[in-house]
């Protein structure tokens, strides 16, 4: 799991840009970590 938050508004409120940016940063870090893990497992 990369990130969770509770969205309180049910109509018209967009996800804050700060939350989206944080998810992107965490996803990139998770992808890099996965690639390192794969390399270690195949050696």
């Amino acid at each position: 799991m990369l990130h969770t938050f509770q969205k309180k508004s049910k109509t018209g409120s967009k996800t804050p840009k700060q939350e989206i940016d944080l998810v992107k940063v965490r996803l990139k870090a998770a992808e890099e970590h996965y690639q390192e893990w794969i390399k270690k497992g195949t050696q």
Side-chain angles (χ1 to χ4, degrees):
M1 179 166 310
L2 299 173
H3 184 73
T4 63
F5 64 97
Q6 184 175 4
K7 188 170 181 178
K8 296 177 183 176
S9 174
K10 297 189 187 278
T11 60
S13 183
K14 294 171 84 175
T15 302
K17 183 177 181 337
Q18 178 183 357
E19 298 288 340
I20 293 172
D21 292 343
L22 182 58
V23 170
K24 287 179 181 180
V25 167
R26 290 181 178 174
L27 178 59
K28 184 176 180 183
E31 289 171 339
E32 291 171 358
H33 182 264
Y34 176 72
Q35 291 302 321
E36 290 176 18
W37 180 76
I38 291 295
K39 287 178 185 176
K40 288 181 183 179
T42 58
Q43 293 178 356

